[in-house]
Amino acid sequence: MTLKSVETLLDVLHFADSHTAVIVPELNICLTYDSLRQQVLAMAKALSAAGIRRGDAVAIALPNGLPAIVSFLAASIAGTAAPLNPAYPYEEFHFFLGDTDARVLLCPAVGSEFVRTAAKDRKIPVFSVEMTEQGNVHLAGVPPGGSVLAPTADDVALILHTSGSTGRPKRVPLRHFNLAVSSANIANTYALSEEDVSLCIMPLFHIHGLIGSAMSTLLSGGTLVIPTKFNALSFWRMVREYHVTWYSGVPTMHQLVLARTHQKPPEADSLRFIRSCSAPLSEELIHKIEDLFGVPFVEAYGMTEASHQMTSNPLPPRHRKAGSVGVGTGLRISIMDKEGNHLGVNQRGEVAIQGANVFRGYENNPEANARAFVDGWFRTGDEGYL
């Protein structure tokens, strides 16, 4: 599928029907693209029957797994997905449910006391997301019916919060086209294909997990393995059992895996590369991981406002530079001074970006937008140099 034909997250699901899209390791469930698409559309129709319309925020507080993937895609098609960390305390749930003006909340049938209480106090309807032993995900208690119009590229698919360095969290609306382009950029950067198997160890309420691991894999027609949570002790068993070819994580995860690996594990033979993002990793650890696991380790640089990835170190035979975040991936990058002038090579300043994956501005925050956007460039707030 070419980038031109991928404009929404619904397009991401149009791959070979019989190919395995998602694996649930705890239950050994393998879901095809056809089955995933049918479940997503069925839940989107159920959300429509529950009153969700285009632009309505659907709060999601689910642990990693197939229900989180189906709910995210269904919510983005029927309305706007607003995933939340299921481990938040009551006060955080109460704030974020109100700040996003959530119309409904999706959460597990068991547990979730804090978010259910917060939703009740906000007078927000709650629907339980259930999954059968066969891997069929559905909304409990929603009558059949409802119809869904296919979203447009310009519709807001996802809303996330970013705190930045100061002030209250800012709302970041990301459109279908932003997410589709970003997923394609990532797939192109690492030459992802239907032969690849990605192990998703990042949380699916974060842009890194949603786009960096999940949507880039599904867009390329690959297979996504989603354990309920990251566990360094069972990590290599899953890599071996499902022939994982790549995974993306944060430095803490890579360090935990490394701490429990004292010689090259035979399971690593299926790996094609390892990706790291969201925080820097020391050059010493990068070389240690590459030497021990025998595969390229690539650092990337991303942020929520850019629908995740902005730059990445390339795979061999192109040069990787440990300690750098690589080269731009599908967008323009510049370094600016405080006045908004573009600086030359080796001059330090603020990283600024332009591209189809970059959002158009924070919701209801003109002051932040006035500071962040200069002549069509988004100022990231990060310091760097070319």
Side-chain angles (χ1 to χ4, degrees):
M1 181 176 288
T2 63
L3 176 57
K4 288 182 180 178
S5 66
V6 180
E7 295 187 342
T8 74
L9 293 182
L10 183 57
D11 298 330
V12 169
L13 297 176
H14 285 276
F15 201 76
D17 289 350
S18 60
H19 193 70
T20 300
V22 177
I23 293 175
V24 184
E26 291 89 352
L27 301 174
N28 204 25
I29 291 170
C30 297
L31 202 71
T32 64
Y33 273 84
D34 181 52
S35 179
L36 177 62
R37 185 167 60 247
Q38 289 182 25
Q39 291 193 34
V40 167
L41 290 174
M43 185 181 287
K45 289 177 181 177
L47 288 169
S48 174
I52 294 300
R53 300 291 178 263
R54 187 76 68 235
D56 289 346
V58 178
I60 303 167
L62 293 166
N64 270 26
L66 180 58
I69 290 288
V70 173
S71 299
F72 162 64
L73 287 167
S76 73
I77 291 166
T80 298
L84 301 172
N85 183 348
Y88 276 150
Y90 168 86
E91 292 77 15
E92 299 275 4
F93 281 127
H94 194 266
F95 168 77
F96 287 118
L97 289 173
D99 198 57
T100 55
D101 192 23
R103 296 305 173 91
V104 297
L105 165 69
L106 309 185
C107 65
V110 179
S112 310
E113 289 83 3
F114 288 147
V115 66
R116 284 178 178 272
T117 303
K120 182 180 178 182
D121 291 346
R122 287 280 188 187
K123 296 181 173 56
I124 297 171
V126 179
F127 295 104
S128 297
V129 180
E130 298 180 350
M131 182 173 71
T132 67
E133 292 182 357
Q134 292 74 37
N136 293 312
V137 178
H138 60 278
L139 288 186
V142 180
S147 60
V148 176
L149 293 173
T152 70
D154 206 45
D155 287 329
V156 176
L158 172 66
I159 188 159
L160 292 171
H161 284 80
T162 181
S163 57
S165 54
T166 60
R168 64 185 272 146
K170 299 188 287 287
R171 294 198 303 275
V172 181
L174 297 170
R175 300 170 192 278
H176 276 272
F177 192 65
N178 296 143
L179 302 179
V181 167
S182 184
S183 300
N185 287 345
I186 295 164
N188 291 335
T189 299
Y190 308 115
L192 300 182
S193 75
E194 61 191 275
E195 303 297 323
D196 280 300
V197 179
S198 170
L199 179 60
C200 180
I201 55 177
M202 287 297 298
L204 292 171
F205 55 81
H206 189 278
I207 197 73
H208 184 164
L210 278 173
I211 305 302
S213 291
M215 291 303 115
S216 62
T217 299
L218 295 176
L219 178 139
S220 63
T223 299
L224 186 68
V225 180
I226 320 177
T228 305
K229 59 183 177 181
F230 169 66
N231 185 341
L233 296 176
S234 61
F235 178 82
W236 287 117
R237 177 180 59 76
M238 275 192 287
V239 170
R240 179 189 70 244
E241 193 167 338
Y242 300 106
H243 306 287
V244 170
T245 62
W246 72 283
Y247 62 93
S248 184
V250 294
T252 304
M253 292 172 165
H254 298 305
Q255 289 167 326
L256 285 169
V257 172
L258 183 63
R260 287 161 175 77
T261 313
H262 305 295
Q263 57 186 15
K264 181 181 178 179
E267 295 89 344
D269 287 343
S270 68
L271 289 175
R272 193 160 66 82
F273 67 95
I274 300 169
R275 178 180 184 270
S276 186
C277 195
S278 301
L281 196 63
S282 72
E283 291 185 47
E284 180 186 0
L285 276 173
I286 291 173
H287 293 310
K288 192 172 182 180
I289 290 171
E290 287 197 329
D291 292 342
L292 187 59
F293 299 163
V295 294
F297 184 97
V298 291
E299 279 196 292
Y301 166 43
M303 67 188 307
T304 304
E305 290 91 335
S307 309
H308 189 45
Q309 184 170 290
M310 298 180 283
T311 73
S312 176
N313 272 276
L315 292 173
R318 294 180 65 191
H319 179 62
R320 302 190 307 288
K321 189 173 183 180
S324 86
V325 292
V327 296
T329 55
L331 79 172
R332 298 175 67 199
I333 297 178
S334 182
I335 305 297
M336 285 185 172
D337 62 16
K338 291 181 179 179
E339 287 71 42
N341 301 307
H342 296 270
L343 302 177
V345 174
N346 291 324
Q347 290 184 284
R348 287 184 177 273
E350 184 176 1
V351 179
I353 55 174
Q354 264 188 352
N357 56 314
V358 182
F359 83 140
R360 294 179 188 167
Y362 301 106
E363 275 192 349
N364 300 328
N365 201 330
E367 297 85 3
N369 290 330
R371 290 193 301 269
F373 289 91
V374 177
D375 297 330
W377 290 85
F378 173 68
R379 305 181 69 139
T380 64
D382 295 329
E383 185 182 275
Y385 65 94
L386 300 175

